[in-house]
Amino acid sequence: MKINILVLLIITQIIFSSNNHIIQELQNSTDWKLTSELSGGEKVYRKSISGKDLDAFRITKLVTISPSLIFDIVEDIDQYSEILVSSRIDSKIINKTTEYIDGYNYIYIDSYFFSDREYKFRMSRNENGIVWYLLESNGINNKAIYLNNGAGLWSYVDSDGMYEISYSLYMDIGGKIPKFLDNKLNYHGILNVFKDVINYSQGNLQIQK
């Protein structure tokens, strides 16, 4: 039992160090390459991360919505099934302190060839935005693949009376998936999340008016 606990602690430390490295790379403004500009105003960037097989992605867009409202919605984990309409997802808050929120996501994959995904994550917020990273766990549902290698970053900068909102992501979605397909799924995943959050924010803004 002591050996098992020691192994778990070592694995947890390795995963935390790995995800901390990812966060630092996401926060670093260098080496992001613009790959496309979409009709909705979104700009897509891509970046290689040292020691990782996959790429990180970043989506940015100029908006008039207050970043505070957008970040409130990102923190509203219990409502993800209504916010993230591009995915079939079950989400819940499993722990909340004054410093961070621990959440759980179960993502349904509508494909015979791929298993569902699940993960726990820790999210913290400061005046500049939101950072989250995946947590080590044995998983909850044995029908899903548990993810433990990934992190994300929401941030903004003022831009001539508007706000440039950005969402950066690195995520290893696990399973026996070719890396090129993994990168493609990550691209579509981050883009869908970004659009869903912005659209939901705009809807809330209209209601408040």
Side-chain angles (χ1 to χ4, degrees):
M1 180 63 70
K2 290 182 178 180
I3 294 177
N4 290 337
I5 293 174
L6 178 60
V7 170
L8 178 60
L9 289 173
I10 293 173
I11 292 174
T12 301
Q13 182 61 39
I14 291 172
I15 291 173
F16 175 78
S17 298
S18 174
N19 288 333
N20 190 51
H21 169 63
I22 293 170
I23 292 170
Q24 291 175 350
E25 289 286 347
L26 295 180
Q27 291 173 330
N28 191 331
S29 60
T30 61
D31 298 325
W32 288 100
K33 298 178 180 179
L34 178 64
T35 59
S36 60
E37 298 186 43
L38 307 182
S39 59
E42 299 88 358
K43 293 182 179 181
V44 183
Y45 298 82
R46 192 165 176 166
K47 177 180 183 178
S48 297
I49 293 184
S50 60
K52 298 296 181 182
D53 295 329
L54 305 175
D55 291 337
F57 289 89
R58 172 177 288 176
I59 310 291
T60 70
K61 182 176 181 177
L62 282 173
V63 300
T64 56
I65 310 168
S66 165
S68 179
L69 174 60
I70 294 173
F71 299 152
D72 285 347
I73 288 169
V74 174
E75 284 189 307
D76 196 3
I77 297 168
D78 285 336
Q79 300 301 316
Y80 275 7
S81 61
E82 296 182 9
I83 298 168
L84 306 179
V85 294
S86 297
S87 303
R88 285 208 303 133
I89 185 171
D90 288 336
S91 303
K92 61 182 178 180
I93 293 174
I94 55 179
N95 186 37
K96 189 172 184 179
T97 73
T98 56
E99 297 180 353
Y100 60 80
I101 303 172
D102 287 345
Y104 169 79
N105 284 341
Y106 187 99
I107 302 173
Y108 297 91
I109 308 296
D110 295 322
S111 172
Y112 176 80
F113 301 101
F114 298 102
S115 299
D116 296 342
R117 296 314 196 251
E118 66 173 346
Y119 55 88
K120 295 178 182 177
F121 59 98
R122 177 160 294 174
M123 177 181 290
S124 58
R125 179 174 176 176
N126 56 41
E127 65 275 10
N128 299 316
I130 289 176
V131 175
W132 65 262
Y133 60 89
L134 299 183
L135 298 173
E136 168 65 8
S137 175
N138 293 326
I140 296 176
N141 192 315
N142 57 15
K143 294 182 179 180
I145 293 176
Y146 188 85
L147 308 184
N148 56 29
N149 189 10
L153 170 68
W154 288 88
S155 60
Y156 80 97
V157 293
D158 293 314
S159 180
D160 296 327
M162 301 180 71
Y163 308 100
E164 184 182 64
I165 301 294
S166 72
Y167 181 38
S168 307
L169 173 74
Y170 177 91
M171 178 79 84
D172 187 337
I173 63 174
K176 297 179 180 179
I177 299 177
K179 298 306 178 186
F180 79 90
L181 182 56
D182 209 330
N183 278 321
K184 185 175 182 179
L185 292 173
N186 270 329
Y187 163 74
H188 288 290
I190 184 175
L191 184 59
N192 286 338
V193 168
F194 185 87
K195 287 183 174 181
D196 286 345
V197 168
I198 297 300
N199 288 339
Y200 194 88
S201 302
Q202 289 174 331
N204 274 18
L205 186 62
Q206 293 298 321
I207 292 174
Q208 290 178 10
K209 290 182 177 179

